[in-house]
Structure formats: structure tokens, C-alpha cells
Amino acid sequence: MIVIAHRGASGYVPEHTLTAKAMAHAMGANYLEQDLVASKDGVPVVLHDIHIDTVTDVKKRFPNRSRGDGRYYAIDFTVEELKTLRVFERFDHRTGKAIFPTRFPTGEGDFRILTFEEEVRFIENVNGSTGRAAGIYPEIKQPAWHREQGCDFSSIVLKVLRELGYDQPESSCFLQCFDEFEVKRIRSELGFRGKLIQLIYRGHDERSGSDYNRMGSAEGLTDLKDIVDGVGPSMDWIVTWNEKGERSLGSLVADAHANGLAVHPWTIRTDALPENCPSLEALVAALRDQSVEGVFADQPDRVLALVKQSNP
């Protein structure tokens, strides 16, 4: 079971910073995740959201650059402007309070935003200097929203992957996206040959039209088998617990495997385990017992330690 560092070692230091990626690499994570959004000048930058007012000091540095909804968007700023911002531990943009109060203190540190290319180059250089190769795991965020802003973001990201040499089936790269129609477009119209993952949440996404409940069904997974290499479902598709701490395993893993699809669920957070889950060990055991191929983790070191125990 590979361990994917979710936004880097985000359980310890601010997400998607160079420090988070270096820390995750040193911990032995198999893959490092890059959420990608577009800057004003069409450059993929490593940020989880299209908004930047939950992880930066943009309100202080550019107080008059919000949109009518009061929010600040990465696509309204050039890379040069984005790089002037300090990146903080995630906080509520309305109250300023930390989302995870026990993690790195929000408002502290001098962390910065990276472009996708800068991060990939960094990972490659650390791979070379340490002799341990970690792969990349980029996500194209909200492609339908980007199109509404006049940006064909998927084409931009695929161009960077091609230029960096991560667009082939054997590349140490998984490309992921929630938008089912964009995933199909990436494979067919845009001709991406690398490993592709369909992310699966719950319900129905109005902007993209993605029907996650169908995608996670046996029929939906059969439809995906000729398009993607695997699926990335939310953890509740895999396992849930009742009030007694008794687990119930879903059918998604078996259905995905029957269609030749790998399964990489998200996200293990040791400080925010699923409801009624008795322990981190119980969660990892539930994944292992279903032969899940990979998992996203905020604290990759702790998950890696348990994976190694089960595979001496």
C-alpha cells in the first residue's frame, strides 16, 4: 500500500509548502500530492483552493483585490504577486481561527507559494540527492470553474507534465481530478497517456455535473475501467464505524478491483479520524484487509510505520 503525502506533511507544517514536501519526502512518502490552480498569467501553482484567503495573508497585502463575494482568488493574481504572500496553516477566512488548532500555529512562519514546475524540480533534486525516489500526484482543481474564467486549465497542466516528462504510463505520476467529464476529456480529447485517477466524493456536483454516487457504484466503476487507472474515493466509501466501534466495509474496493482499477482513498488524519473509528491502527487495518493499493495521509510517517509493520 503506497502512502501519498496529502498536501505534503500537512499534519505538521502548513500545507503545500516546500517545507511540507521536504518533510514528507524525508519521512519516506511514496508520492507527494500537488493540488493545482491557475494564476492570472496562466501558470499552475500549488494551492488546494481557487481561493487564497484561507492560507495566506492576501487580505493584508492586497486589501482591495477581493471579488464581489469578498473572497480572494488565485487566478486574479500573477505568479509574481502570489509569491509576495506568506502561506499559513489553514484558517477560517471569516474568523481567522485555525481549522486544526493543535497543528502548526496559524500566522507563524515564512512559507511561500510554489509553482508546479518549481515543486517538481525540487522533488527531482531531492530524489537525486537522497537516492530515494518519490513520485508526484497532481490534481487539476475545478476545471469547469477555470473554463468559466476563460482558462483551459487541463491543457496547461498537461503541457507542463509533458515538458517535465510525466505524461507516460510508466511515469512516477498519478494525475487526479473530481470532474468526471474532464477526466474523460483528459484521456480522449487531450490524449493523456499517463496514470489517471477519478476522484469520487458523495452526491452530485452542480458545476461540473459529476454524479459521484453513480461513479462509486458497480455500474459506474465498470464505465470508468477503460478511461482511468484507478479511483480515489472518500474514506466513507471504504469503511464506516457504528457507535460501538464496529466496522462496516463498503463494496467499492471489490467492485473497483473487479474492473482492474486501483483504489487510493482519502484522507487519513490522525487528529481527525472518521466518526466512531476506534484508532489509527483500526483504520489502516480496514484498508489493508481490502487490499487497497494506496492512501492519502496528513501524517504520512505514522501511516507508513503501520504499513511497514503489516509488511515486514
Side-chain angles (χ1 to χ4, degrees):
M1 183 161 58
I2 62 170
V3 176
I4 305 135
H6 185 239
R7 313 180 201 176
S10 58
Y12 302 113
V13 291
E15 65 187 52
H16 284 322
T17 59
L18 200 61
T19 304
K21 302 306 167 66
M23 191 173 188
H25 194 292
M27 288 174 170
N30 304 107
Y31 284 82
L32 310 180
E33 184 193 34
Q34 300 80 33
D35 292 307
L36 302 176
V37 301
S39 68
K40 186 175 183 178
D41 36 358
V43 176
V45 291
V46 186
L47 288 163
H48 182 263
D49 305 318
I50 56 175
H51 306 108
I52 54 176
D53 48 11
T54 56
V55 290
T56 75
D57 60 351
V58 65
K59 288 184 179 181
K60 177 181 178 181
R61 293 185 179 270
F62 297 99
N64 302 315
R65 296 278 294 277
S66 64
R67 292 195 178 187
D69 60 0
R71 303 299 304 273
Y72 293 77
Y73 293 77
I75 204 168
D76 294 334
F77 296 82
T78 65
V79 168
E80 183 178 1
E81 290 172 328
L82 290 171
K83 283 187 168 294
T84 67
L85 303 177
R86 292 172 65 197
V87 175
F88 298 138
E89 178 65 31
R90 180 168 290 274
F91 57 90
D92 187 309
H93 71 96
R94 293 158 298 191
T95 66
K97 293 184 178 180
I99 301 300
F100 296 98
T102 61
R103 294 188 179 184
F104 197 92
T106 193
E108 295 289 330
D110 187 19
F111 306 102
R112 303 290 168 168
I113 292 171
L114 295 167
T115 69
F116 181 38
E117 182 173 355
E118 287 172 340
E119 177 160 319
V120 173
R121 296 295 189 199
F122 172 78
I123 293 169
E124 290 177 338
N125 289 335
V126 177
N127 284 347
S129 64
T130 63
R132 192 192 74 81
I136 63 172
Y137 211 121
E139 178 185 345
I140 297 176
K141 304 294 290 190
Q142 298 200 36
W145 180 89
H146 277 93
R147 275 197 301 277
E148 292 171 6
Q149 313 304 309
C151 175
D152 182 0
F153 192 46
S154 294
S155 293
I156 292 171
V157 172
L158 293 187
K159 181 175 182 290
V160 175
L161 287 172
R162 185 168 59 251
E163 291 172 347
L164 295 175
Y166 287 91
D167 62 338
Q168 299 301 310
E170 65 275 12
S171 302
S172 1
C173 169
F174 288 92
L175 178 63
Q176 57 179 336
C177 186
F178 276 103
D179 186 329
E180 65 173 310
F181 302 102
E182 194 70 2
V183 166
K184 293 174 183 176
R185 176 175 177 254
I186 287 167
R187 183 64 90 200
S188 57
E189 180 184 331
L190 300 181
F192 181 67
R193 296 184 58 215
K195 293 186 283 290
L196 188 59
I197 299 292
Q198 173 68 63
L199 294 170
I200 301 176
Y201 195 29
R202 289 284 188 178
H204 184 272
D205 180 64
E206 292 185 6
R207 173 167 266 121
S208 71
S210 300
D211 185 348
Y212 299 122
N213 289 343
R214 187 181 190 286
M215 274 192 278
S217 69
E219 296 80 7
L221 292 165
T222 298
D223 290 344
L224 287 170
K225 69 178 182 179
D226 295 324
I227 301 168
V228 300
D229 299 278
V231 292
S234 57
M235 197 64 70
D236 59 347
W237 279 101
I238 309 300
V239 59
T240 55
W241 281 266
N242 62 22
E243 293 180 354
K244 296 179 180 179
E246 299 167 332
R247 78 183 193 186
S248 176
L249 302 180
S251 62
L252 183 145
V253 177
D255 292 337
H257 286 170
N259 286 288
L261 298 172
V263 182
H264 297 169
W266 46 274
T267 300
I268 294 181
R269 296 183 170 98
T270 62
D271 49 355
L273 292 172
E275 185 178 9
N276 297 320
C277 176
S279 66
L280 173 63
E281 290 78 7
L283 180 52
V284 173
L287 302 179
R288 183 188 63 236
D289 291 349
Q290 297 182 82
S291 300
V292 164
E293 287 83 0
V295 66
F296 287 81
D298 281 11
Q299 294 90 357
D301 58 328
R302 296 193 59 188
V303 178
L304 279 162
L306 291 173
V307 170
K308 289 177 181 178
Q309 285 178 19
S310 62
N311 296 284

